[in-house]
Amino acid sequence: MFLVPLTLTEKIEEFVAELIVSNEDLSARNAISAAIGEFPNAKAIDAVFAFVSMASALEQPLFDYTGRDAKLSAELYRSIAILVADIYAVERLRGWPVTCAQLSEFWVETDETFFIPGQAVKAVTNLT
């Protein structure tokens, strides 16, 4: 039997699925942030496709990843919308295609607090 190697998008989707299954308390935005960090050389738009595929899979009754699939799916879709806005911003600043590494750099440079909640703590700490 001939096995076809996984595409990068499939690898990202598997990574997110594994995170979700192994950590029931993980938020969608933390899963997205972890995947963006895990695949720095991937095109950010490819990661978006993987996240949408995962959100769609969570909606299917055939799959039963966690006891909160429907809620997590909705949370993923909302997080993806914010992610796409960030990709657009990076594209306008640095050109196309946007990589996951560029997206991570953008989050740090702009003190992003949605995908990197620790940035908010850093910002508050620096006020003293």
Side-chain angles (χ1 to χ4, degrees), residues 34-123:
I36 293 294
E38 183 72 18
F39 298 94
N41 297 322
K43 291 179 186 172
I45 201 69
D46 290 342
V48 167
F49 183 82
F51 303 143
V52 170
S53 294
M54 188 67 228
S56 177
L58 286 167
E59 292 177 317
Q60 305 303 316
L62 175 65
F63 301 105
D64 189 22
Y65 292 102
T66 72
R68 59 188 186 100
D69 288 358
K71 180 181 178 199
L72 189 55
S73 177
E75 187 183 330
L76 262 171
Y77 284 126
R78 283 190 300 274
S79 297
I80 291 164
I82 294 168
L83 178 67
V84 170
D86 286 350
I87 292 169
Y88 179 76
V90 174
E91 176 188 337
R92 301 297 293 166
L93 292 169
R94 299 187 180 138
W96 185 260
V98 175
T99 65
C100 290
Q102 289 173 311
L103 197 53
S104 292
E105 291 167 8
F106 174 76
W107 290 341
V108 170
E109 292 166 4
T110 60
D111 289 327
E112 167 66 48
T113 59
F114 186 79
F115 290 108
I116 307 177
Q119 291 292 95
V121 172
K122 183 179 89 174

Side-chain angles (χ1 to χ4, degrees), residues 19-27 65-69 72:
L19 277 177
I20 289 169
V21 169
S22 65
N23 186 353
E24 289 255 347
D25 296 330
L26 187 73
S27 70
Y65 292 102
T66 72
R68 59 188 186 100
D69 288 358
L72 189 55

